[in-house]
Amino acid sequence: MFQQILDPIAGSLVLSALCAALPLVLLFVLLGVFKVRAPKAALASLALSLVLAIVGWQMPVNQALSATAAGVFYGLFPILWILVNALWIYRLTVATPWFEVLGRTIRSISNDLRILAILIAFCFGALLESLAGFGAPVAISAAMLMAAGMKPLKSAIVSLLANTAPVAFGAMAAPIIALNGVTGLPLNELSSMAGRQTPFIALIVPLLLVFIVDGRRGVKQTWPVALVAGAAFGLAQFITSNYFAVELTDVVAAVVAVAAVLLMLKVWQPKDTVGMEGAVEGSSEAAHAAVAVATGSRRSGSTAGPSTAGPSAAGPSNSAGQAGSSSAVPATGGASVPTDNTRPEPRQIWMAIAPYLIIIVVFSLAQIPFVKAWLSQVGSVTFAWPGLDITDSAGKPVAATKFKLDHFKATGTLLLISGILTMVLYKVRASTGLRIYRETLVQLRWTIVTVTAVLGLSFVMNLSGQTTTLGFALASAGGFFALLSPLIGWIGVALTGSDTSSNSLFGQMQATAAAQTGLSPVLMAASNSSAGVMGKMLSLQNLAVASAAVGLDGAEGALFRKLLGWSLGLLALITVLIFLQSTPVLGWMVP
């Protein structure tokens, strides 16, 4: 048996916490300062964490290696199982004529990229987050923005930034449910508290999206529709999380926001229009990236899309990922960009959006009580991870040594079923579907390395006691813990890429520390989730997924540097809100 030590370095909690932070510091410095590729940065941080676990925290070598293996497996299943199948579904659509129809449908709603950023990244991304989460919304919305004509890097930035406000209630409220599981605090109180924090972020995010797309002019010209989207989403999120089912919070909020924006556009339009960037600025990069997403840079001819498709649709490509023949108009950069904005016929629109409707239906059916109970009974197994026998510093068994494997009910499995149904609907041959799946794995090979290494790092830090040491050192700040609590959640999500995982890691510590310092455990536990989502845009998993989705190999560092300021700014805003909620000023907001 291995018992975690709270202060193993010279018997000092402060020194121990500084050492525990070293893998995280190394991770962010390598990525943000030295521009090291994400897989190498993650592997280096994992190695340092292993050394600290064995030498500093005195964790047996076999248990340290077993903890790494547990993290790697968790990275593969469920996280990468979700990402691979989500991208596979998207690539299936790219291999058919319906992808270009989807692009035309999106562009026909509005030819203004600022409006599309709100509709696709914020509203539709929130709907995907409510159903799948774990990077799928970023991958799909970024690719859809490229289909509408936005440049790859900007598509990735917009999608990552938009994936904030919905995350606390993402994947059918998995983060809040996990928080309830580890803390024992009432689910309705945690849901209500989070629902009184995240709507304020939802109000701001659409304004930030239009600023990223078009700067100050974008905010000046589109602030009414941005505010309508944010207000509608935030209000629906508050009402649903406080008075209805927590699991449906993001579903309701996303649908209400879409309806509000579409109604707004019927009575109001921005003064000017910002159209396809490739057509204006030259989009050889955009075309290259779109084809890379569609083809995975395959070396031979592939399933061809329609001859009229632009670079967003699949066509023959070579190893450089360059587009084959296309009837789209070449831009100044020498690449083709989609130019047809005519609205397709209703039947074509339904066929184009069918894969996403299939996802919604499959996931909705899985939430029916008797179906959910059956899936839990036959599609889930819990077991002790081999080689791990760990107790915390108080001698209590560490829950993370137990592994719950959801095979039938897993999000990735439901996405796989959705993909198979999409193949049937689109009449894609089995051999073609398998080839596209293989190419998806090849495209994500470095993402797989990154994600598994980061989850290995997370599990080693958690099981060795490094995470607990770091958390308790921050909690020792007493009354100032209300300012540090959001930072803990932010670090947790930035590290794991998952609000659910962060809540599992730090939720109990937040509640315990809050009780020790005289603060509301419900407030601090919910803050771990609400503030933590600001770190999601910086997590290596999401950065790697976004880079792969837009076909910009190795762009994780560039995305990290461009998003760091936004992430810290949003963290500062919600930290002020949470601090005020811990005082008589806004204390009335705490359930």
Side-chain angles (χ1 to χ4, degrees), residues 59-434:
M59 188 179 195
V61 174
N62 65 313
Q63 297 218 43
L65 294 176
S66 182
T68 305
V72 169
F73 186 82
Y74 185 78
L76 291 171
F77 199 98
I79 293 178
L80 283 165
W81 182 234
I82 295 169
L83 301 183
V84 170
N85 287 315
L87 270 180
W88 174 60
I89 292 174
Y90 173 74
R91 287 165 59 88
L92 282 174
T93 67
V94 170
T96 72
W98 299 112
F99 179 80
E100 173 56 19
V101 175
L102 177 63
R104 279 201 290 142
T105 302
I106 295 168
R107 296 191 296 272
S108 69
I109 296 174
S110 172
N111 57 359
D112 192 325
L113 286 178
R114 301 167 300 185
I115 304 299
L116 293 177
I118 295 173
L119 278 172
I120 296 172
F122 183 70
C123 299
F124 186 65
L127 183 60
L128 290 173
E129 179 66 36
S130 71
L131 297 172
F134 294 102
V138 172
I140 294 174
S141 61
M144 289 177 69
L145 285 172
M146 286 200 344
M150 188 177 290
K151 280 190 173 181
L153 191 64
K154 189 174 289 185
S155 298
I157 293 171
V158 167
S159 298
L160 285 164
L161 183 58
N163 194 222
T164 47
V167 171
F169 295 97
M172 292 298 174
I176 302 298
I177 293 171
L179 200 58
N180 161 253
V182 299
T183 63
L185 296 171
L187 178 63
N188 65 316
E189 292 186 11
L190 291 170
S191 172
S192 297
M193 189 68 255
R196 300 174 191 188
Q197 295 170 336
T198 56
F200 293 96
I201 300 300
L203 190 64
I204 297 171
V205 167
L207 291 168
L208 298 182
L209 299 183
V210 297
F211 179 81
I212 290 173
V213 174
D214 194 35
R216 293 181 180 178
R217 182 184 67 172
V219 176
K220 183 179 180 180
Q221 294 184 354
T222 62
W223 67 265
V225 70
L227 281 181
V228 164
F233 186 92
L235 182 61
Q237 198 176 49
F238 163 73
I239 293 174
T240 309
S241 62
N242 276 262
Y243 304 109
F244 295 105
V246 59
E247 293 88 353
L248 297 179
T249 297
D250 280 349
V251 176
V252 174
V255 171
V256 169
V258 169
V261 171
L262 293 180
L263 288 173
M264 177 75 172
L265 292 176
K266 286 184 177 296
V267 298
W268 177 91
Q269 291 287 338
K271 180 181 178 181
D272 298 322
T273 297
V274 174
M276 292 180 294
E277 294 175 328
V280 176
E281 304 171 20
S283 63
S284 58
E285 179 187 33
H288 172 89
V291 173
V293 170
T295 65
S297 297
R298 48 185 178 265
R299 288 177 169 76
S300 60
S302 62
T303 304
S307 62
T308 57
S312 298
S317 65
N318 56 26
S319 60
Q322 295 173 337
S325 62
S326 169
S327 64
V329 178
T332 56
S336 299
V337 294
T339 57
D340 187 356
N341 294 337
T342 58
R343 188 174 182 83
E345 296 177 0
R347 178 187 173 279
Q348 292 180 318
I349 294 175
W350 283 111
M351 286 294 291
I353 65 174
Y356 306 103
L357 295 178
I358 289 172
I359 291 173
I360 292 171
V361 170
V362 169
F363 277 85
S364 298
L365 290 175
Q367 295 303 313
I368 297 175
F370 77 88
V371 176
K372 188 174 183 179
W374 180 81
L375 287 173
S376 298
Q377 183 178 2
V378 304
S380 179
V381 59
T382 301
F383 59 93
W385 187 263
L388 292 179
D389 186 8
I390 302 173
T391 62
D392 61 20
S393 58
K396 297 180 180 179
V398 174
T401 58
K402 297 285 187 180
F403 202 96
K404 184 179 181 181
L405 179 62
D406 293 329
H407 35 92
F408 287 161
K409 65 177 289 189
T411 300
T413 304
L414 296 180
L415 285 171
L416 179 64
I417 294 171
S418 302
I420 294 171
L421 293 175
T422 299
M423 287 177 57
V424 173
L425 179 66
Y426 283 171
K427 299 180 180 179
V428 177
R429 288 178 299 179
S431 59
T432 303
L434 288 172

Side-chain angles (χ1 to χ4, degrees), residues 487-498:
L487 178 62
I488 296 171
W490 182 87
I491 291 172
V493 178
L495 172 64
T496 65
S498 165

Side-chain angles (χ1 to χ4, degrees), residues 399-484:
T401 58
K402 297 285 187 180
F403 202 96
K404 184 179 181 181
L405 179 62
D406 293 329
H407 35 92
F408 287 161
K409 65 177 289 189
T411 300
T413 304
L414 296 180
L415 285 171
L416 179 64
I417 294 171
S418 302
I420 294 171
L421 293 175
T422 299
M423 287 177 57
V424 173
L425 179 66
Y426 283 171
K427 299 180 180 179
V428 177
R429 288 178 299 179
S431 59
T432 303
L434 288 172
R435 176 178 52 73
I436 294 174
Y437 201 100
R438 182 179 65 253
E439 290 164 354
T440 302
L441 291 173
V442 172
Q443 181 186 346
L444 291 178
R445 60 190 182 281
W446 294 115
T447 302
I448 292 171
V449 173
T450 300
V451 170
T452 52
V454 169
L455 266 297
L457 164 66
S458 174
F459 270 62
V460 169
M461 290 188 66
N462 183 36
L463 293 173
S464 67
Q466 295 173 58
T467 297
T468 305
T469 298
L470 185 61
F472 269 91
L474 292 171
S476 66
F480 288 102
F481 181 69
L483 293 173
L484 294 176

